[in-house]
Amino acid sequence: MDNKEKVIKAFKESEEPLNATKVSQISGVDKKEVDKIMKELKKDETIISPKRCYWALKE
């Protein structure tokens, strides 16, 4: 499983919006890498921000 899949899995398993630090803790991926992956996911609109600095998968 690559890092992008781990980050997406962390979002799927969480019932609440997450910030990059939480995603890093859950997935075990380095925070800098999580930031890069989340930037891609934002661009693709895979994740959306329900509140400031927190992100969740688009349903």
Side-chain angles (χ1 to χ4, degrees):
M1 185 183 308
D2 70 351
N3 288 343
K4 188 171 182 178
E5 290 172 354
K6 289 179 184 176
V7 169
I8 291 172
K9 186 175 182 227
F11 279 113
K12 284 182 182 174
E13 292 176 351
S14 176
E15 294 180 12
E16 57 190 37
L18 301 171
N19 61 14
T21 305
K22 272 285 198 199
V23 173
S24 177
Q25 291 170 350
I26 293 169
S27 65
V29 178
D30 183 62
K31 187 179 178 302
K32 287 183 181 181
E33 186 67 24
V34 169
D35 288 333
K36 289 180 194 172
I37 293 168
M38 286 178 63
K39 188 175 181 181
E40 288 176 29
L41 295 175
K42 291 173 205 172
K43 193 180 280 188
D44 299 344
E45 295 184 5
T46 305
I47 59 174
I48 57 169
S49 180
K51 63 181 180 178
R52 190 164 184 243
C53 297
Y54 284 81
W55 298 87
L57 285 177
K58 188 175 183 179
E59 296 183 11

